[in-house]
Amino acid sequence: MLVLASQSTGRLATLRAAGVEPQVRVSDVDEPRILAELAAAHAAAGSPAPTPAQQVQALARAKALDVAADPTLAARERDPDLVVVGCDSMLELDGAVVGKPGTAQRARERWLAMRGRSGTLYTGHCVVRARDAATAEGVSSTVVHFGSPSDAEIDAYVASGEPLWCAGAFTIDGLGGAFIDGVEGDPHGVVGISLPLLRRLLARLGVTWTDLWSPPAESGGSAAR
């Protein structure tokens, strides 16, 4: 069984479309604290500030480990091969990290700055095997080419509420898809979970991707003759 440590509807829909029906358990990690601790560790070591890839990986790891350690995860006893997947995404634009805007004003400001330009969407992935806490990690990166929506289109998109809680203030699989001119790389990574990368990470932990596929639904009627 696969447990998705995320409340993202996009990640859930992507897995379901790929034949995987995960259990969803949302983590309780304090994301600002995780990032502050990461920055402090880099500063103490005299290292450069954490890159976007390092930030999303740290958050993905924290989410997956938090859910995997939850003693109420009852499926652990039923499935010794249960794995937990944590993900996190951030957009890098001109060297600056763009996370979730959170407010309509910030979402609008970001779209005014992004339109007609390109950025890189980083998505960290961490897979934890629940029985022994073994992990496999990786980061996907996809270049996103933004279209040039009008001010009125931006206002309408922001008013929909969709971009407020999305990394980079956009989606590619929802209302925002019409404002994305193209991507270079794995489009699933833009949704927030890279299926090819996830398959490789699972393999490192001895889990075969096709074993996670849900059985096909049985037909309710008789076959035509």
Side-chain angles (χ1 to χ4, degrees), residues 136-148:
E137 303 180 349
V139 178
S140 69
S141 63
T142 305
V143 176
V144 182
H145 301 292
F146 296 101
S148 299

Side-chain angles (χ1 to χ4, degrees), residues 1 17 19 76 116 137 191 203:
M1 176 182 287
R76 191 196 319 270
E137 303 180 349
V191 178

Side-chain angles (χ1 to χ4, degrees), residues 36-63:
E37 291 176 350
L38 178 65
H42 276 242
S47 303
T51 65
Q54 290 171 325
Q55 292 180 62
V56 295
Q57 191 58 71
L59 291 173
R61 182 185 310 117
K63 293 175 182 179

Side-chain angles (χ1 to χ4, degrees), residues 118 142-147 172 179-184:
S118 300
T142 305
V143 176
V144 182
H145 301 292
F146 296 101
I172 195 173
F179 307 131
I180 307 301
D181 281 353
V183 300
E184 297 176 41

Side-chain angles (χ1 to χ4, degrees), residues 215-225:
E218 294 184 6
S219 173
S222 58
R225 302 233 190 270

Side-chain angles (χ1 to χ4, degrees), residues 85-118:
V85 178
C87 299
D88 194 83
S89 301
M90 291 181 181
L91 177 73
E92 183 181 32
L93 188 71
D94 293 337
V97 173
V98 181
K100 302 169 184 175
T103 68
Q105 179 179 345
R106 281 199 292 268
R108 187 176 191 278
E109 291 171 351
R110 289 181 183 176
W111 262 102
L112 291 173
M114 294 188 309
R115 63 180 172 187
R117 305 171 67 190
S118 300

